[in-house]
Amino acid sequence: MAAEIQPKPLTRKPILLQRVEGSQEVVNMAVIVPKEEGVISVSEDRTVRVWLKRDSGQYWPSIYQVMPAPCSCMSFNPETRRLSIGLDNGTIAEFILSEDYNKMTPVKNYQAHQSRVTMILFVLELEWVLSTGQDKQFAWHCSESGQRLGGYRTSAVASGLQFDVETRHVFIGDQSGQVTILKLEQDSCTLVTTFRGHTGGVTALCWDPVQRVLFSGSSDHSVIMWDIGGRKGTAIELQGHNDKVQALSYAQHTRQLISCGGDGGIVVWNMDVERQETPEWLDSDSCQKCDQPFFWNFKQMWDSKKIGLRQHHCRKCGKAVCGKCSSKRSSIPLMGFEFEVRVCDSCHEAITDEE
């Protein structure tokens, strides 16, 4: 199989090393401080906390900073120790952490959005701060001057943000299910294209700059792999969850995609295999196998004196078929369907063990 799914708990359980507690409300984001055995967290209780591991093995707060509004997200750059914090009031507050991580010095504030900041990316190579907010705005600022360089209004509230440094393309997924690609210049942006393949809102984005592939997770339970690299712009659907996709993570060195679902499942996808593109669903007024009319085809129903049938689609060929002509089910890992899905009878007979 192309994906490894563990629906049941393993007998070997992970060992809990530490539980860092202290926030009074929801912790919206936490990151590990590399090489320091520390954790930075931001919370709805308006606090920013830095926890460092002491000689006793316990994590103790070295920084406790109260912000003027609830903290919704953050971006931390270990190389420069720059911490950018998004707030519920639309402000992005920027700090520099000291070398010993015992002090955070205010640098500047960006009045980036009219409402809650949803995501932040700091791009060190360009000295840009990219952000999205609940005001349906994407904005980017110069981190050196604090100047707003530009913005773009999305069709819905953004829920995913990725950036490619080499080409200066930004990818924005929103709650309508659309993915927007923008080309950023120093003080302007150009709409490149939009993708719409999800029937639910985009919940997560992940970008592979080497293979030039974008992954999008959605509340429609699916993950779509968008080939941005030019190989005919293919889109491959990955079905491995029974609930909305909560998060995505990609390991470039092993070419493995990890997706976490609201069903409690974690799926590890091997993306180092050749996959077939998911076919588009074809439109028809009658079954493309037996020619039985569908229930909206009144003329054919009247002429043939037959009751209209419900329309289905074969996941392998995309043809519109009736229930009788698609009574079989099969998993098709080669096409990303790890669970059994509806296929027409002729495709079911043609599916090989290899597929």
Side-chain angles (χ1 to χ4, degrees):
M1 293 177 66
E4 301 170 15
I5 304 177
Q6 300 289 348
K8 297 180 180 179
L10 300 174
T11 53
R12 294 171 57 191
K13 295 183 179 180
I15 300 174
L16 177 64
L17 297 178
Q18 292 289 339
R19 185 188 298 273
V20 180
E21 298 178 335
S23 298
Q24 302 300 313
E25 294 186 38
V26 174
V27 176
N28 284 317
M29 197 169 182
V31 296
I32 294 175
V33 181
K35 302 179 181 179
E36 294 293 334
E37 291 198 85
V39 175
I40 304 173
S41 65
V42 295
S43 171
E44 286 289 333
D45 65 5
R46 300 190 299 144
T47 64
V48 180
R49 303 170 192 244
V50 180
W51 313 80
L52 295 181
K53 191 175 183 179
R54 305 303 182 185
D55 294 337
S56 63
Q58 298 293 317
Y59 282 85
W60 289 91
S62 61
I63 294 176
Y64 179 95
Q65 178 82 23
V66 179
M67 305 298 293
C71 306
S72 54
C73 57
M74 68 172 160
S75 176
F76 177 64
N77 182 265
E79 191 174 336
T80 61
R81 299 187 308 281
R82 190 192 306 254
L83 179 64
S84 305
I85 303 166
L87 301 181
D88 190 64
N89 60 11
T91 303
I92 297 175
E94 194 171 86
F95 297 85
I96 296 294
L97 301 185
S98 62
E99 291 188 13
D100 60 4
Y101 289 91
N102 283 313
K103 182 181 179 182
M104 50 192 292
T105 303
V107 178
K108 63 175 69 73
N109 287 342
Y110 308 90
Q111 299 303 320
H113 298 277
Q114 299 299 315
S115 56
R116 186 180 179 92
V117 181
T118 54
M119 279 161 295
I120 303 175
L121 284 179
F122 171 65
V123 184
L124 177 61
E125 295 85 348
L126 301 171
E127 291 289 343
W128 285 355
V129 177
L130 315 181
S131 63
T132 59
Q134 286 190 344
D135 56 1
K136 300 182 183 179
Q137 285 285 337
F138 161 75
W140 75 103
H141 292 75
C142 174
S143 61
E144 293 181 318
S145 65
Q147 179 184 358
R148 180 185 175 96
L149 300 177
Y152 182 86
R153 185 170 179 83
T154 56
S155 59
V157 176
S159 45
L161 180 64
Q162 292 286 291
F163 183 72
D164 182 62
V165 176
E166 182 181 348
T167 63
R168 298 190 181 185
H169 283 154
V170 64
F171 309 97
I172 307 169
D174 64 45
Q175 293 179 0
S176 74
Q178 181 172 285
V179 178
T180 302
I181 302 180
L182 303 174
K183 168 76 171 180
L184 300 189
E185 303 297 343
Q186 185 61 33
D187 56 0
S188 65
C189 72
T190 305
L191 175 64
V192 177
T193 187
T194 57
F195 295 144
R196 184 174 289 277
H198 291 291
T199 57
V202 174
T203 52
L205 287 182
C206 195
W207 170 244
D208 176 8
V210 178
Q211 301 296 325
R212 309 203 64 74
V213 169
L214 180 72
F215 302 98
S216 60
S218 171
S219 58
D220 64 8
H221 310 177
S222 72
V223 177
I224 295 182
M225 182 182 82
W226 307 93
D227 182 5
I228 311 295
R231 293 194 298 274
K232 299 180 181 179
T234 54
I236 296 175
E237 186 176 347
L238 306 175
Q239 292 281 0
H241 292 284
N242 290 316
D243 204 335
K244 71 176 180 178
V245 178
Q246 300 276 28
L248 297 173
S249 181
Y250 185 72
Q252 291 184 16
H253 61 293
T254 60
R255 290 200 62 190
Q256 288 180 314
L257 176 72
I258 301 172
S259 59
C260 304
D263 53 3
I266 298 175
V267 182
V268 182
W269 303 91
N270 179 14
M271 303 312 300
D272 197 24
V273 296
E274 194 69 28
R275 295 183 185 270
Q276 293 180 1
E277 185 176 16
T278 307
E280 291 187 10
W281 284 5
L282 303 178
D283 293 325
S284 178
D285 290 330
S286 58
C287 177
Q288 294 180 299
K289 293 294 182 180
C290 69
D291 201 37
Q292 284 274 81
F294 293 133
F295 62 83
W296 61 82
N297 189 351
F298 299 110
K299 184 179 186 304
Q300 187 176 347
M301 288 166 54
W302 177 264
D303 293 342
S304 62
K305 300 297 187 290
K306 293 180 179 178
I307 299 176
L309 303 176
R310 182 183 174 188
Q311 176 184 262
H312 301 282
H313 283 91
C314 173
R315 300 310 195 267
K316 182 167 173 59
C317 68
K319 289 184 177 180
V321 290
C322 66
K324 185 178 179 180
C325 293
S326 58
S327 59
K328 304 293 194 302
R329 301 288 187 276
S330 177
S331 60
I332 319 174
L334 190 63
M335 299 181 71
F337 296 111
E338 301 294 339
F339 297 146
E340 289 191 345
V341 291
R342 181 185 296 273
V343 293
C344 65
D345 293 352
S346 56
C347 281
H348 187 269
E349 294 176 2
I351 293 175
T352 64
D353 290 339
E354 183 181 358
E355 287 179 302

